[in-house]
Amino acid sequence: MGRFLVIIPAYNEEKNIGNVLEEILDLNLDLDILVVNDGSTDRTADLAKSYNVTVLSHISNLGYGAALQTGYKYAAIKKYPYIIQFDADGQHDPKSLENIYNTLVNHELDVVIGSRFLIGSTMYIGPLKRFVVIFFRMIIYLFTGEKITDPTSGLRGMNFKVFRYFSMRNHFPTDYPDADLLIQMLLNNYKVAEVPTNMRDRVFGKSVQHAGIKPFFYMVRIMLNIFIIVVRYKIRVWVKNNA
Amino acid sequence: MCGFVFFINVIYLLITKKLNERLSIVWLAGSLIIFILSGNPELLDYLAHYIGIQYPPSLLFLLSTLVLLYLVLYLFIQISILNDKVKELTQHIALYHALEIEQDEIEKK
């Protein structure tokens, strides 16, 4: 068993998954890789199986969050001490993995986020995406008082305590686990930090989450999730104080 | 007549197992209310007068709209529950399958 597990949720990524896996395996790090094939209709699962990695397949498409949660469940069963979630579209730089792992271990942190805003990333960020990022930075600061530079980053490392909690039923948002999840982590008093990472433009295809009018629905859904999380937290605090 | 046909239809769906018992109670109760109201229209007049509604049929429309709204909400709740169950089931199958393969490989070695 490797020092940590890299969880890669993949949905119809046959053009990217091979390169992503090769890049990670070429680094020869002491890690295990889990590809969660989220009901892909292309050859994603077959391609992933041709590498020395574990492949889990959902029989139907459940969404990014649910695929991640399946990865957490697997890691919890196998008792990995740390996991790092990694995108299958080639946007994340595998060289960041070691840095995230070291930061998690050396600083005894619960969560480490790879941020593209702490150094000059080579990724092009459009005005809409920039607006979404700034908006959620403000929301996170408003509710938790913490400054997170990259609330939409999917590159995150967690320790056992955190991913086991999120692997449980109803503890994890199944559609978009972004700013809402960060707020939940911070309200749960998890120690969260960011490390600078380079992110690149995706090589093939278009991102499912950030195309067309979807950003608008994305923001509305995340705001609703944040509202629910904050209300639940306030109720919990109120019950605790009045018990 | 309408209530009677509706009632028979629900019973038929129950016998042919196209509707489960738990959900059918709502429809059986609904058909019973239609049955009672259509047989005793003065009941509706009395109720409307008691609440202060001048035109009794509008009470009927109000009640039916509220009941239908509640039914839609109930079905949305059921969809959410089923979605969650499908998610859990799909995740369980994926995990179980992968762990079984891993176990087989260990045994082969």
Side-chain angles (χ1 to χ4, degrees):
Chain A
M1 196 162 91
R3 292 173 299 164
F4 61 97
L5 179 73
V6 179
I7 299 172
I8 308 176
Y11 175 61
N12 288 348
E13 292 285 0
E14 63 177 4
K15 288 179 178 164
N16 295 314
I17 192 79
N19 287 338
V20 169
L21 292 175
E22 266 169 37
E23 272 191 291
I24 300 174
L25 292 168
D26 283 349
L27 292 172
N28 278 323
L29 297 171
D30 181 20
L31 54 81
D32 292 335
I33 300 173
L34 172 72
V35 176
V36 184
N37 166 41
D38 190 19
S40 298
T41 49
D42 63 4
R43 297 192 313 121
T44 303
D46 293 336
L47 282 167
K49 278 175 190 163
S50 63
Y51 295 89
N52 185 24
V53 300
T54 307
V55 180
L56 271 176
S57 284
H58 287 166
I59 44 177
S60 58
N61 180 251
L62 294 182
Y64 178 74
L68 268 179
Q69 198 190 30
T70 306
Y72 299 161
K73 286 183 179 190
Y74 178 85
I77 291 169
K78 303 287 273 183
K79 294 192 169 59
Y80 279 93
Y82 300 97
I83 60 111
I84 297 175
Q85 58 191 59
F86 199 87
D87 281 359
D89 56 10
Q91 289 189 18
H92 295 161
D93 192 341
K95 291 187 191 94
S96 319
L97 289 171
E98 188 68 17
N99 188 19
I100 290 176
Y101 172 74
N102 287 336
T103 314
L104 265 172
V105 177
N106 297 339
H107 297 272
E108 292 180 356
L109 293 165
D110 294 316
V111 182
V112 172
I113 305 160
S115 169
R116 79 203 87 175
F117 297 107
L118 290 175
I119 53 158
S121 171
T122 55
M123 187 187 193
Y124 167 74
I125 300 155
L128 187 66
K129 175 96 184 176
R130 214 169 264 279
F131 168 74
V132 171
V133 166
I134 292 168
F135 178 76
F136 283 120
R137 266 184 205 167
M138 282 161 53
I139 294 286
I140 291 171
Y141 186 72
L142 189 74
F143 287 114
T144 66
E146 296 283 335
K147 284 179 182 167
I148 301 289
T149 61
D150 200 348
T152 61
S153 170
L155 183 61
R156 287 177 194 157
M158 297 172 194
N159 66 11
F160 184 78
K161 181 179 78 177
V162 180
F163 69 75
R164 195 186 57 168
Y165 176 79
F166 288 131
S167 72
M168 288 179 223
R169 195 173 187 174
N170 294 331
H171 282 199
F172 194 70
T174 49
D175 32 15
Y176 305 122
D178 283 339
D180 46 345
L181 191 71
L182 283 172
I183 289 178
Q184 194 176 349
M185 286 170 175
L186 292 164
L187 293 179
N188 278 4
N189 287 325
Y190 291 149
K191 286 183 270 178
V192 181
E194 286 185 298
V195 291
T197 35
N198 181 36
M199 289 201 197
R200 308 165 294 192
D201 289 311
R202 88 180 353 252
V203 186
F204 292 103
K206 207 175 178 187
S207 171
V208 185
Q209 283 182 35
H210 308 298
I213 54 162
K214 280 184 177 169
F216 173 71
F217 290 108
Y218 165 81
M219 285 179 75
V220 171
R221 285 167 85 162
I222 295 224
M223 285 307 294
L224 183 66
N225 281 352
I226 290 172
F227 171 75
I228 295 164
I229 286 166
V230 171
V231 169
R232 270 190 195 152
Y233 172 75
K234 297 273 181 200
I235 292 171
R236 209 168 67 208
V237 171
W238 187 84
V239 169
K240 206 174 166 185
N241 291 340
N242 290 280
Chain B
M1 181 68 190
C2 186
F4 183 69
V5 171
F6 199 66
F7 188 80
I8 295 294
N9 199 14
V10 174
I11 296 288
Y12 170 76
L13 289 171
L14 261 171
I15 292 168
T16 52
K17 290 195 181 261
K18 282 176 183 163
L19 194 66
N20 71 29
E21 294 84 354
R22 200 159 62 96
L23 291 168
S24 69
I25 290 170
V26 182
W27 294 109
L28 282 173
S31 59
L32 212 66
I33 290 167
I34 297 171
F35 204 57
I36 293 165
L37 283 179
S38 52
N40 308 283
E42 66 278 2
L43 207 68
L44 192 72
D45 291 348
Y46 172 76
L47 258 173
H49 181 74
Y50 185 76
I51 301 167
I53 293 171
Q54 285 187 334
Y55 183 57
S58 60
L59 175 65
L60 194 67
F61 287 120
L62 175 72
L63 286 177
S64 58
T65 309
L66 287 178
V67 168
L68 288 176
L69 255 177
Y70 180 75
L71 266 178
V72 172
L73 181 67
Y74 178 76
L75 290 176
F76 268 64
I77 295 167
Q78 292 300 315
I79 291 171
S80 302
I81 293 169
L82 285 175
N83 261 338
D84 185 52
K85 284 181 180 174
V86 168
K87 188 205 82 179
E88 287 290 319
L89 199 61
T90 308
Q91 288 179 324
H92 179 78
I93 291 169
L95 282 165
Y96 184 80
H97 188 65
L99 292 170
E100 202 178 36
I101 290 171
E102 277 180 19
Q103 193 62 37
D104 285 349
E105 279 170 7
I106 291 167
E107 279 170 14
K108 271 180 199 168
K109 281 173 189 172

